[in-house]
Amino acid sequence: MCMGDDVNCPDFEAHFRQFKEEINPGRRGFLGAGLIGAGSFAAGGLSLVTPALAQTSAAKAPAAPSYHYLPANSDTVHWGYFSKTLAPKVEVDSGDYVTIETLTHHAADDLERMVQGDEGAESVYKWTATEKGVDRRGAGSTDPAVYKVGSGDGQGVHILTGPVYVRGAEPGDVLEVRILDCKPRPCANPEFTGKSFGSNAAAWWGYHYNDMLNGAKREVITIYEVDASGDRNWAEAVYNFKWVPQTDPFGVTHPTIDYPGVPVDHGLTSRNYDVLKGVRIPIRPHFGTLGVAPAEADFVDSVPPSYTGGNVDNWRIGKGAVMYYPVSVEGALLSVGDPHASQGDSELCGTAIECSLTGTFQLILHKKADLAGTPLEEMDHPMLETQSEWVVHGFSVPNYLGTLGATAQSDIYGKSSIDDAMRDAFRKMRKFLMTTKGLTEDETHSLMSVGVDFGITQVVDGNWGVHAIVKKELFSGRA
Protein backbone atom coordinates (compact mmCIF):
# COMPACT_ATOMS: atom_id res chain seq x y z
CA MET A 1 0.00 0.00 0.00
CA CYS A 2 1.26 3.47 -0.86
CA MET A 3 2.08 5.52 2.24
CA GLY A 4 3.13 8.58 0.29
CA ASP A 5 6.26 6.78 -0.87
CA ASP A 6 5.23 5.27 -4.21
CA VAL A 7 5.36 7.81 -7.04
CA ASN A 8 3.75 5.28 -9.36
CA CYS A 9 0.60 5.11 -7.25
CA PRO A 10 -2.34 6.89 -8.96
CA ASP A 11 -3.21 8.49 -5.61
CA PHE A 12 0.39 9.40 -4.72
CA GLU A 13 -0.31 13.14 -4.25
CA ALA A 14 -3.16 12.49 -1.81
CA HIS A 15 -1.17 9.90 0.10
CA PHE A 16 1.87 12.19 0.28
CA ARG A 17 -0.27 15.06 1.60
CA GLN A 18 -1.59 12.70 4.28
CA PHE A 19 1.97 11.66 5.13
CA LYS A 20 2.99 15.30 5.55
CA GLU A 21 0.06 15.88 7.88
CA GLU A 22 1.04 12.87 9.94
CA ILE A 23 4.58 14.13 10.54
CA ASN A 24 3.57 17.76 11.02
CA PRO A 25 5.32 18.78 14.25
CA GLY A 26 2.18 20.49 15.43
CA ARG A 27 0.19 17.28 15.11
CA ARG A 28 2.51 14.49 16.10
CA GLY A 29 3.21 14.26 19.80
CA PHE A 30 5.67 11.43 19.38
CA LEU A 31 8.03 13.83 17.62
CA GLY A 32 7.16 16.99 19.51
CA ALA A 33 10.21 18.90 20.65
CA GLY A 34 12.42 16.34 18.95
CA LEU A 35 11.78 18.13 15.66
CA ILE A 36 13.49 21.16 17.11
CA GLY A 37 16.44 19.65 18.85
CA ALA A 38 16.52 15.90 19.36
CA GLY A 39 14.08 16.36 22.21
CA SER A 40 13.01 12.74 21.79
CA PHE A 41 16.46 11.80 23.14
CA ALA A 42 16.45 14.35 25.90
CA ALA A 43 15.59 12.16 28.88
CA GLY A 44 17.94 13.43 31.52
CA GLY A 45 19.41 15.84 28.99
CA LEU A 46 21.35 12.98 27.44
CA SER A 47 21.63 14.10 23.83
CA LEU A 48 24.54 15.23 21.72
CA VAL A 49 22.47 18.28 20.81
CA THR A 50 22.21 20.48 23.87
CA PRO A 51 19.03 22.51 24.38
CA ALA A 52 20.98 25.72 23.71
CA LEU A 53 22.43 24.36 20.46
CA ALA A 54 19.01 23.10 19.40
CA GLN A 55 17.50 26.54 19.91
CA THR A 56 20.35 28.28 18.10
CA SER A 57 20.16 25.92 15.11
CA ALA A 58 16.37 26.15 14.97
CA ALA A 59 16.51 29.95 15.03
CA LYS A 60 18.62 29.91 11.86
CA ALA A 61 16.18 27.65 10.00
CA PRO A 62 12.90 28.66 8.31
CA ALA A 63 9.97 28.90 10.70
CA ALA A 64 8.16 26.02 9.04
CA PRO A 65 9.90 23.00 7.49
CA SER A 66 9.30 21.99 3.90
CA TYR A 67 8.74 18.48 2.59
CA HIS A 68 10.55 16.91 -0.34
CA TYR A 69 10.33 13.63 -2.20
CA LEU A 70 13.28 12.14 -4.07
CA PRO A 71 12.46 9.06 -6.14
CA ALA A 72 15.09 6.61 -7.32
CA ASN A 73 15.57 6.47 -11.07
CA SER A 74 18.31 6.87 -13.65
CA ASP A 75 18.15 10.66 -13.29
CA THR A 76 18.44 10.78 -9.49
CA VAL A 77 21.02 8.11 -8.64
CA HIS A 78 24.77 7.85 -8.97
CA TRP A 79 26.27 4.41 -8.94
CA GLY A 80 29.36 3.43 -6.98
CA TYR A 81 30.80 6.72 -5.77
CA PHE A 82 30.45 9.90 -3.73
CA SER A 83 31.35 13.11 -5.51
CA LYS A 84 31.59 16.79 -4.65
CA THR A 85 31.14 17.49 -8.38
CA LEU A 86 27.57 16.18 -8.60
CA ALA A 87 24.67 18.55 -9.21
CA PRO A 88 22.14 18.33 -6.35
CA LYS A 89 18.93 16.42 -7.02
CA VAL A 90 17.09 18.38 -4.34
CA GLU A 91 17.92 21.40 -2.18
CA VAL A 92 16.66 21.67 1.39
CA ASP A 93 16.84 24.02 4.33
CA SER A 94 17.85 22.98 7.81
CA GLY A 95 14.85 21.36 9.46
CA ASP A 96 13.30 20.13 6.22
CA TYR A 97 12.02 16.60 5.68
CA VAL A 98 12.89 14.48 2.69
CA THR A 99 11.65 11.06 1.69
CA ILE A 100 14.29 9.24 -0.35
CA GLU A 101 13.89 6.05 -2.34
CA THR A 102 16.93 3.77 -2.46
CA LEU A 103 17.65 0.78 -4.67
CA THR A 104 19.84 -2.19 -3.92
CA HIS A 105 22.79 -2.70 -6.23
CA HIS A 106 22.12 -6.46 -6.08
CA ALA A 107 18.70 -6.38 -7.74
CA ALA A 108 20.10 -7.94 -10.93
CA ASP A 109 20.60 -11.17 -8.97
CA ASP A 110 16.86 -11.71 -9.49
CA LEU A 111 15.44 -9.19 -11.93
CA GLU A 112 12.03 -10.85 -11.83
CA ARG A 113 11.60 -10.19 -8.12
CA MET A 114 13.52 -6.95 -7.63
CA VAL A 115 13.27 -4.97 -10.89
CA GLN A 116 10.50 -6.18 -13.18
CA GLY A 117 7.54 -3.79 -13.29
CA ASP A 118 9.31 -1.16 -11.18
CA GLU A 119 9.71 1.86 -13.45
CA GLY A 120 12.44 3.49 -11.37
CA ALA A 121 14.46 0.31 -10.94
CA GLU A 122 14.02 -0.59 -14.60
CA SER A 123 15.44 2.78 -15.66
CA VAL A 124 18.50 2.29 -13.45
CA TYR A 125 19.11 -1.34 -14.38
CA LYS A 126 18.48 -0.89 -18.10
CA TRP A 127 21.30 -2.55 -20.00
CA THR A 128 21.09 -3.44 -23.66
CA ALA A 129 23.67 -4.20 -26.31
CA THR A 130 23.98 -0.46 -27.01
CA GLU A 131 23.40 1.38 -23.73
CA LYS A 132 23.10 1.30 -19.95
CA GLY A 133 20.55 3.27 -17.92
CA VAL A 134 23.41 4.40 -15.67
CA ASP A 135 26.74 4.15 -17.46
CA ARG A 136 29.32 5.03 -14.81
CA ARG A 137 29.31 2.37 -12.11
CA GLY A 138 32.20 3.13 -9.82
CA ALA A 139 34.87 5.75 -9.19
CA GLY A 140 37.23 4.34 -11.82
CA SER A 141 37.88 5.41 -15.38
CA THR A 142 35.13 5.97 -17.92
CA ASP A 143 37.56 5.70 -20.83
CA PRO A 144 36.86 2.48 -22.79
CA ALA A 145 40.55 2.23 -23.56
CA VAL A 146 41.31 1.98 -19.84
CA TYR A 147 38.56 0.05 -18.10
CA LYS A 148 38.42 -3.73 -18.23
CA VAL A 149 34.93 -4.72 -17.11
CA GLY A 150 32.81 -1.59 -17.52
CA SER A 151 32.61 2.16 -17.15
CA GLY A 152 33.80 3.10 -13.66
CA ASP A 153 35.63 -0.25 -13.59
CA GLY A 154 33.73 -1.42 -10.52
CA GLN A 155 35.68 0.67 -8.01
CA GLY A 156 32.58 1.25 -5.93
CA VAL A 157 29.31 -0.62 -6.19
CA HIS A 158 26.44 1.07 -4.36
CA ILE A 159 23.47 2.77 -6.00
CA LEU A 160 23.19 6.10 -4.16
CA THR A 161 20.23 8.44 -4.41
CA GLY A 162 21.05 12.13 -4.32
CA PRO A 163 22.91 14.18 -3.51
CA VAL A 164 20.81 16.37 -1.26
CA TYR A 165 22.14 19.93 -0.97
CA VAL A 166 21.64 21.51 2.46
CA ARG A 167 21.51 25.28 2.12
CA GLY A 168 24.04 27.06 4.29
CA ALA A 169 26.17 23.98 4.98
CA GLU A 170 29.90 24.70 4.94
CA PRO A 171 33.07 22.79 5.86
CA GLY A 172 33.38 22.56 9.63
CA ASP A 173 29.64 22.36 10.23
CA VAL A 174 27.89 19.21 11.46
CA LEU A 175 24.87 17.70 9.72
CA GLU A 176 22.37 15.89 11.91
CA VAL A 177 20.41 13.25 9.99
CA ARG A 178 17.32 11.91 11.73
CA ILE A 179 15.93 8.69 10.29
CA LEU A 180 12.19 8.93 10.84
CA ASP A 181 11.18 5.93 8.76
CA CYS A 182 12.76 3.07 6.84
CA LYS A 183 10.74 0.38 5.10
CA PRO A 184 11.08 -2.16 2.29
CA ARG A 185 10.20 -1.21 -1.27
CA PRO A 186 7.32 -3.42 -2.44
CA CYS A 187 7.87 -5.70 -5.41
CA ALA A 188 6.21 -4.27 -8.51
CA ASN A 189 5.76 -7.63 -10.20
CA PRO A 190 2.07 -8.64 -9.76
CA GLU A 191 3.18 -12.23 -9.25
CA PHE A 192 4.72 -11.21 -5.92
CA THR A 193 2.25 -8.62 -4.60
CA GLY A 194 2.79 -7.65 -0.97
CA LYS A 195 6.31 -8.98 -0.90
CA SER A 196 9.78 -7.52 -1.08
CA PHE A 197 13.01 -9.32 -1.84
CA GLY A 198 16.69 -9.05 -1.13
CA SER A 199 19.91 -10.76 -2.06
CA ASN A 200 22.84 -11.96 0.03
CA ALA A 201 26.12 -12.64 -1.72
CA ALA A 202 28.72 -14.93 -0.18
CA ALA A 203 31.32 -13.40 -2.44
CA TRP A 204 35.04 -13.36 -3.16
CA TRP A 205 35.52 -10.28 -0.97
CA GLY A 206 33.89 -12.00 2.02
CA TYR A 207 35.91 -12.77 5.13
CA HIS A 208 35.14 -16.47 4.70
CA TYR A 209 36.33 -16.83 1.12
CA ASN A 210 39.90 -17.95 1.73
CA ASP A 211 38.92 -20.17 4.65
CA MET A 212 36.29 -22.46 3.13
CA LEU A 213 36.25 -26.16 3.91
CA ASN A 214 38.50 -28.30 1.73
CA GLY A 215 39.94 -25.18 0.11
CA ALA A 216 36.84 -24.67 -2.01
CA LYS A 217 36.24 -21.46 -3.98
CA ARG A 218 32.69 -20.48 -4.88
CA GLU A 219 30.36 -17.52 -4.72
CA VAL A 220 26.79 -18.24 -3.62
CA ILE A 221 23.79 -15.93 -3.86
CA THR A 222 20.82 -16.40 -1.50
CA ILE A 223 17.54 -14.69 -2.33
CA TYR A 224 15.36 -13.73 0.66
CA GLU A 225 11.70 -12.79 0.86
CA VAL A 226 10.65 -9.87 3.06
CA ASP A 227 7.07 -8.96 3.92
CA ALA A 228 6.48 -5.45 2.55
CA SER A 229 3.17 -5.01 4.42
CA GLY A 230 4.79 -4.96 7.84
CA ASP A 231 2.71 -7.88 9.13
CA ARG A 232 5.80 -10.06 9.61
CA ASN A 233 9.10 -8.86 11.00
CA TRP A 234 11.30 -11.55 9.55
CA ALA A 235 12.87 -12.64 6.29
CA GLU A 236 13.04 -16.16 4.91
CA ALA A 237 15.33 -17.65 2.29
CA VAL A 238 13.65 -18.48 -1.03
CA TYR A 239 16.52 -20.16 -2.88
CA ASN A 240 20.23 -19.96 -3.47
CA PHE A 241 22.48 -20.50 -6.46
CA LYS A 242 26.14 -20.71 -7.23
CA TRP A 243 27.49 -17.89 -9.35
CA VAL A 244 28.52 -19.10 -12.78
CA PRO A 245 30.20 -16.94 -15.43
CA GLN A 246 27.75 -14.35 -16.73
CA THR A 247 28.14 -12.46 -20.00
CA ASP A 248 26.75 -8.94 -19.82
CA PRO A 249 24.84 -7.25 -22.68
CA PHE A 250 28.07 -5.59 -23.88
CA GLY A 251 29.65 -9.02 -24.35
CA VAL A 252 32.00 -8.95 -21.34
CA THR A 253 32.13 -12.21 -19.37
CA HIS A 254 32.25 -12.03 -15.58
CA PRO A 255 33.66 -15.20 -13.96
CA THR A 256 33.13 -13.63 -10.54
CA ILE A 257 30.92 -10.90 -9.10
CA ASP A 258 33.22 -8.13 -10.28
CA TYR A 259 30.97 -5.40 -11.70
CA PRO A 260 27.71 -4.01 -10.33
CA GLY A 261 24.42 -4.66 -12.06
CA VAL A 262 25.42 -7.59 -14.25
CA PRO A 263 22.07 -9.26 -15.07
CA VAL A 264 22.03 -12.88 -13.96
CA ASP A 265 20.79 -15.30 -16.60
CA HIS A 266 19.04 -17.94 -14.52
CA GLY A 267 18.98 -20.23 -17.52
CA LEU A 268 22.63 -20.83 -16.60
CA THR A 269 22.22 -21.25 -12.84
CA SER A 270 20.89 -24.11 -10.75
CA ARG A 271 18.46 -22.89 -8.09
CA ASN A 272 18.35 -24.67 -4.75
CA TYR A 273 15.02 -24.11 -3.01
CA ASP A 274 15.91 -26.38 -0.08
CA VAL A 275 17.81 -23.72 1.87
CA LEU A 276 17.57 -22.47 5.47
CA LYS A 277 14.25 -24.19 5.98
CA GLY A 278 12.45 -23.07 9.13
CA VAL A 279 14.90 -20.22 9.72
CA ARG A 280 13.48 -16.73 10.23
CA ILE A 281 15.86 -13.79 10.14
CA PRO A 282 14.55 -10.79 12.12
CA ILE A 283 14.52 -7.81 9.81
CA ARG A 284 16.07 -4.56 10.92
CA PRO A 285 15.90 -2.27 7.87
CA HIS A 286 18.74 0.20 7.67
CA PHE A 287 20.98 2.08 5.26
CA GLY A 288 24.41 0.54 4.84
CA THR A 289 25.67 3.62 3.02
CA LEU A 290 24.69 7.08 4.21
CA GLY A 291 26.95 10.10 4.28
CA VAL A 292 28.17 13.35 2.83
CA ALA A 293 30.65 14.05 0.06
CA PRO A 294 34.39 14.04 0.90
CA ALA A 295 36.55 16.97 -0.18
CA GLU A 296 39.73 15.08 -1.06
CA ALA A 297 38.82 13.75 -4.53
CA ASP A 298 36.28 14.33 -7.27
CA PHE A 299 35.12 10.69 -7.39
CA VAL A 300 35.38 8.55 -4.27
CA ASP A 301 34.82 4.78 -4.24
CA SER A 302 31.63 4.04 -2.31
CA VAL A 303 33.00 0.87 -0.67
CA PRO A 304 35.46 2.03 2.03
CA PRO A 305 33.83 4.11 4.80
CA SER A 306 35.57 7.23 6.01
CA TYR A 307 35.27 10.32 8.17
CA THR A 308 32.28 11.59 6.17
CA GLY A 309 30.39 8.34 6.72
CA GLY A 310 29.49 6.38 3.63
CA ASN A 311 29.52 2.59 3.73
CA VAL A 312 29.59 2.26 7.52
CA ASP A 313 27.36 -0.86 7.40
CA ASN A 314 26.03 -0.65 10.93
CA TRP A 315 22.57 -2.23 11.19
CA ARG A 316 21.66 0.29 13.90
CA ILE A 317 21.46 3.09 11.30
CA GLY A 318 17.74 2.62 10.82
CA LYS A 319 14.40 4.03 11.92
CA GLY A 320 14.64 6.09 15.09
CA ALA A 321 18.39 6.63 14.86
CA VAL A 322 20.25 9.90 14.38
CA MET A 323 23.56 10.20 12.55
CA TYR A 324 25.99 13.12 12.84
CA TYR A 325 28.42 13.87 10.01
CA PRO A 326 31.19 16.46 9.69
CA VAL A 327 30.51 18.61 6.64
CA SER A 328 33.40 18.60 4.19
CA VAL A 329 32.05 20.50 1.17
CA GLU A 330 29.56 23.27 0.49
CA GLY A 331 25.99 22.02 0.78
CA ALA A 332 27.14 18.79 2.50
CA LEU A 333 25.81 16.74 -0.48
CA LEU A 334 24.15 13.89 1.38
CA SER A 335 23.62 10.62 -0.50
CA VAL A 336 21.79 7.48 0.63
CA GLY A 337 21.96 3.89 -0.57
CA ASP A 338 23.09 0.31 0.09
CA PRO A 339 19.72 -0.46 1.70
CA HIS A 340 19.55 -3.59 3.85
CA ALA A 341 16.64 -5.61 5.22
CA SER A 342 18.96 -7.12 7.81
CA GLN A 343 22.62 -7.62 8.62
CA GLY A 344 24.66 -9.09 11.42
CA ASP A 345 27.65 -7.37 12.93
CA SER A 346 30.64 -8.15 10.65
CA GLU A 347 28.64 -8.62 7.38
CA LEU A 348 30.94 -11.61 7.22
CA CYS A 349 30.32 -13.25 3.85
CA GLY A 350 30.29 -10.06 1.81
CA THR A 351 26.82 -8.49 1.96
CA ALA A 352 23.72 -8.12 4.08
CA ILE A 353 20.23 -8.91 2.79
CA GLU A 354 20.49 -6.24 0.11
CA CYS A 355 16.92 -4.97 -0.25
CA SER A 356 15.56 -1.72 -1.70
CA LEU A 357 14.16 0.63 0.95
CA THR A 358 12.47 4.01 1.23
CA GLY A 359 13.49 6.31 4.07
CA THR A 360 12.20 9.55 5.50
CA PHE A 361 14.75 11.90 7.03
CA GLN A 362 14.90 15.24 8.77
CA LEU A 363 18.11 17.19 8.20
CA ILE A 364 19.36 19.64 10.82
CA LEU A 365 22.38 21.86 10.22
CA HIS A 366 24.58 22.88 13.13
CA LYS A 367 26.98 25.68 12.28
CA LYS A 368 30.62 25.49 13.29
CA ALA A 369 30.42 28.82 15.14
CA ASP A 370 27.74 27.38 17.43
CA LEU A 371 29.48 24.13 18.36
CA ALA A 372 31.94 25.40 20.97
CA GLY A 373 31.37 23.76 24.33
CA THR A 374 28.95 21.19 22.93
CA PRO A 375 29.45 17.44 22.35
CA LEU A 376 29.56 18.19 18.61
CA GLU A 377 32.60 20.43 18.89
CA GLU A 378 35.47 19.03 16.81
CA MET A 379 33.26 16.21 15.53
CA ASP A 380 35.45 14.69 12.81
CA HIS A 381 33.83 11.29 12.32
CA PRO A 382 30.37 9.78 11.82
CA MET A 383 28.53 9.21 15.10
CA LEU A 384 25.29 7.43 15.85
CA GLU A 385 22.76 8.27 18.54
CA THR A 386 19.69 6.28 19.51
CA GLN A 387 17.15 6.68 22.28
CA SER A 388 19.38 4.68 24.62
CA GLU A 389 22.91 4.64 23.18
CA TRP A 390 25.78 6.54 21.64
CA VAL A 391 27.90 4.71 19.07
CA VAL A 392 31.28 5.76 17.70
CA HIS A 393 32.73 4.18 14.57
CA GLY A 394 36.37 3.27 14.25
CA PHE A 395 38.07 2.35 10.97
CA SER A 396 41.37 0.80 9.98
CA VAL A 397 42.37 4.21 8.57
CA PRO A 398 39.98 6.90 9.87
CA ASN A 399 40.51 9.39 7.01
CA TYR A 400 42.17 7.18 4.44
CA LEU A 401 41.75 9.74 1.65
CA GLY A 402 43.80 12.29 3.59
CA THR A 403 46.26 9.83 5.14
CA LEU A 404 47.20 7.63 2.20
CA GLY A 405 47.60 10.31 -0.44
CA ALA A 406 47.11 10.13 -4.19
CA THR A 407 46.77 6.34 -4.33
CA ALA A 408 44.49 6.12 -1.29
CA GLN A 409 41.55 4.56 -3.11
CA SER A 410 43.59 1.54 -4.16
CA ASP A 411 45.95 1.37 -1.16
CA ILE A 412 43.17 1.25 1.44
CA TYR A 413 42.26 -2.30 0.41
CA GLY A 414 45.64 -3.46 1.67
CA LYS A 415 45.33 -1.64 4.98
CA SER A 416 42.33 -3.46 6.49
CA SER A 417 42.99 -4.36 10.11
CA ILE A 418 40.69 -5.10 13.03
CA ASP A 419 43.53 -4.11 15.36
CA ASP A 420 43.74 -0.65 13.81
CA ALA A 421 39.96 -0.24 13.70
CA MET A 422 39.72 -1.26 17.35
CA ARG A 423 42.37 1.26 18.33
CA ASP A 424 40.56 3.99 16.40
CA ALA A 425 37.25 3.15 18.08
CA PHE A 426 38.97 3.09 21.48
CA ARG A 427 40.56 6.49 20.93
CA LYS A 428 37.32 8.04 19.70
CA MET A 429 35.32 6.66 22.61
CA ARG A 430 37.96 7.81 25.09
CA LYS A 431 37.84 11.31 23.66
CA PHE A 432 34.05 11.27 23.64
CA LEU A 433 33.79 10.27 27.31
CA MET A 434 36.49 12.67 28.48
CA THR A 435 35.23 15.69 26.57
CA THR A 436 31.47 15.22 26.88
CA LYS A 437 31.26 13.61 30.34
CA GLY A 438 34.22 15.28 32.00
CA LEU A 439 35.87 12.00 32.97
CA THR A 440 39.57 11.63 33.63
CA GLU A 441 41.61 9.35 31.44
CA ASP A 442 41.79 6.74 34.19
CA GLU A 443 38.04 6.90 34.78
CA THR A 444 37.46 6.52 31.07
CA HIS A 445 39.69 3.47 30.73
CA SER A 446 37.87 1.74 33.56
CA LEU A 447 34.43 2.63 32.22
CA MET A 448 35.28 1.43 28.72
CA SER A 449 36.41 -1.91 30.08
CA VAL A 450 33.36 -2.54 32.27
CA GLY A 451 30.55 -0.61 30.58
CA VAL A 452 31.26 -0.07 26.86
CA ASP A 453 30.62 -2.73 24.22
CA PHE A 454 33.02 -2.93 21.28
CA GLY A 455 31.83 -4.85 18.24
CA ILE A 456 33.01 -5.65 14.73
CA THR A 457 30.90 -3.54 12.37
CA GLN A 458 32.18 -5.05 9.13
CA VAL A 459 35.19 -6.88 7.70
CA VAL A 460 34.33 -6.57 4.00
CA ASP A 461 34.52 -2.90 3.03
CA GLY A 462 38.20 -2.31 2.38
CA ASN A 463 38.41 -0.11 5.47
CA TRP A 464 37.28 -2.44 8.25
CA GLY A 465 35.16 -1.14 11.08
CA VAL A 466 34.78 -1.51 14.85
CA HIS A 467 32.02 0.28 16.73
CA ALA A 468 31.87 1.16 20.41
CA ILE A 469 28.52 1.41 22.19
CA VAL A 470 27.94 3.27 25.44
CA LYS A 471 24.50 3.21 27.01
CA LYS A 472 23.08 6.52 28.18
CA GLU A 473 21.71 4.91 31.34
CA LEU A 474 25.27 4.71 32.67
CA PHE A 475 24.99 8.43 33.36
CA SER A 476 21.45 8.44 34.77
CA GLY A 477 22.76 8.92 38.29
CA ARG A 478 24.36 12.24 37.46
CA ALA A 479 22.62 15.46 38.42
Side-chain angles (χ1 to χ4, degrees):
M1 176 182 175
C2 175
M3 302 289 288
D5 59 356
D6 182 1
V7 293
N8 297 315
C9 173
D11 299 315
F12 166 73
E13 292 296 337
H15 291 160
F16 188 49
R17 284 195 299 270
Q18 180 180 352
F19 162 76
K20 291 194 295 183
E21 286 295 309
E22 288 177 351
I23 64 172
N24 186 310
R27 298 176 183 267
R28 287 300 295 268
F30 86 94
L31 289 175
L35 296 174
I36 301 175
S40 59
F41 292 165
L46 298 178
S47 172
L48 294 184
V49 178
T50 64
L53 178 59
Q55 292 178 1
T56 299
S57 297
K60 295 180 178 180
S66 296
Y67 304 85
H68 311 265
Y69 197 99
L70 187 57
N73 55 51
S74 59
D75 294 325
T76 61
V77 306
H78 47 107
W79 198 327
Y81 59 92
F82 285 85
S83 178
K84 62 184 179 182
T85 70
L86 286 169
K89 301 306 178 184
V90 65
E91 295 191 11
V92 306
D93 290 310
S94 179
D96 281 0
Y97 302 91
V98 56
T99 293
I100 303 176
E101 297 178 1
T102 65
L103 299 174
T104 174
H105 55 290
H106 276 271
D109 293 339
D110 190 327
L111 293 165
E112 182 183 23
R113 286 173 169 82
M114 290 186 275
V115 175
Q116 186 175 325
D118 187 321
E119 184 177 350
E122 287 180 340
S123 73
V124 171
Y125 274 91
K126 179 182 179 181
W127 195 345
T128 69
T130 57
E131 65 175 326
K132 288 189 290 186
V134 178
D135 181 58
R136 171 189 273 277
R137 301 183 182 184
S141 175
T142 58
D143 181 354
V146 176
Y147 64 70
K148 298 177 182 178
V149 296
S151 178
D153 215 24
Q155 293 182 350
V157 298
H158 308 99
I159 300 173
L160 301 175
T161 310
V164 177
Y165 183 98
V166 182
R167 297 186 184 101
E170 301 172 297
D173 298 342
V174 169
L175 183 65
E176 177 184 349
V177 179
R178 302 176 182 175
I179 307 174
L180 304 182
D181 201 6
C182 178
K183 56 188 178 183
R185 184 183 184 93
C187 177
N189 185 335
E191 185 177 346
F192 306 107
T193 299
K195 299 177 181 178
S196 185
F197 296 92
S199 173
N200 166 254
W204 61 266
W205 63 86
Y207 189 83
H208 71 296
Y209 192 71
N210 293 315
D211 197 15
M212 297 177 70
L213 297 177
N214 301 317
K217 299 290 185 186
R218 64 182 177 276
E219 295 179 290
V220 177
I221 308 294
T222 304
I223 301 299
Y224 286 86
E225 177 186 316
V226 177
D227 177 33
S229 70
D231 292 338
R232 298 192 305 271
N233 64 347
W234 66 84
E236 294 179 307
V238 181
Y239 69 91
N240 69 8
F241 66 93
K242 180 182 176 181
W243 181 274
V244 295
Q246 298 288 331
T247 300
D248 67 38
F250 284 179
V252 177
T253 299
H254 303 264
T256 62
I257 306 171
D258 65 350
Y259 189 72
V262 173
V264 173
D265 179 359
H266 281 287
L268 303 175
T269 70
S270 178
R271 301 195 198 189
N272 170 29
Y273 287 88
D274 187 21
V275 56
L276 291 173
K277 293 298 185 182
V279 177
R280 294 176 173 177
I281 296 89
I283 63 168
R284 36 197 187 194
H286 63 280
F287 299 98
T289 302
L290 174 63
V292 296
E296 287 80 0
D298 285 347
F299 294 92
V300 177
D301 182 347
S302 67
V303 174
S306 190
Y307 74 104
T308 53
N311 192 27
V312 174
D313 275 332
N314 187 336
W315 62 261
R316 299 160 185 84
I317 305 176
K319 182 177 180 178
V322 174
M323 286 296 294
Y324 299 90
Y325 299 102
V327 175
S328 179
V329 300
E330 179 185 339
L333 298 182
L334 178 79
S335 294
V336 190
D338 192 23
H340 297 164
S342 195
Q343 179 202 303
D345 283 333
S346 85
E347 201 178 14
L348 187 136
C349 80
T351 78
I353 299 180
E354 311 288 324
C355 174
S356 299
L357 302 174
T358 296
T360 296
F361 308 85
Q362 187 185 26
L363 308 183
I364 309 290
L365 181 64
H366 301 290
K367 297 296 294 178
K368 180 179 180 180
D370 303 324
L371 301 180
T374 78
L376 298 182
E377 185 177 12
E378 299 182 1
M379 178 68 69
D380 60 357
H381 57 85
M383 185 149 185
L384 168 64
E385 181 172 27
T386 71
Q387 184 78 31
S388 59
E389 299 171 340
W390 292 296
V391 185
V392 301
H393 295 97
F395 306 115
S396 300
V397 185
N399 179 358
Y400 75 94
L401 293 167
T403 301
L404 302 181
T407 57
Q409 296 194 58
S410 57
D411 290 350
I412 185 57
Y413 287 94
K415 301 291 185 180
S416 297
S417 163
I418 288 296
D419 287 348
D420 290 342
M422 175 68 190
R423 187 161 301 282
D424 184 43
F426 151 66
R427 289 172 173 171
K428 286 173 178 173
M429 180 55 75
R430 178 173 60 186
K431 179 180 178 181
F432 173 77
L433 293 173
M434 291 181 68
T435 58
T436 65
K437 300 304 171 187
L439 303 182
T440 66
E441 183 178 13
D442 292 337
E443 288 176 317
T444 298
H445 290 162
S446 180
L447 181 59
M448 282 194 289
S449 189
V450 302
V452 174
D453 292 319
F454 289 81
I456 297 174
T457 322
Q458 53 75 24
V459 288
V460 293
D461 291 343
N463 197 8
W464 290 358
V466 168
H467 55 270
I469 303 173
V470 59
K471 293 189 177 297
K472 295 179 180 181
E473 67 183 3
L474 292 177
F475 304 97
S476 60
R478 290 195 162 196

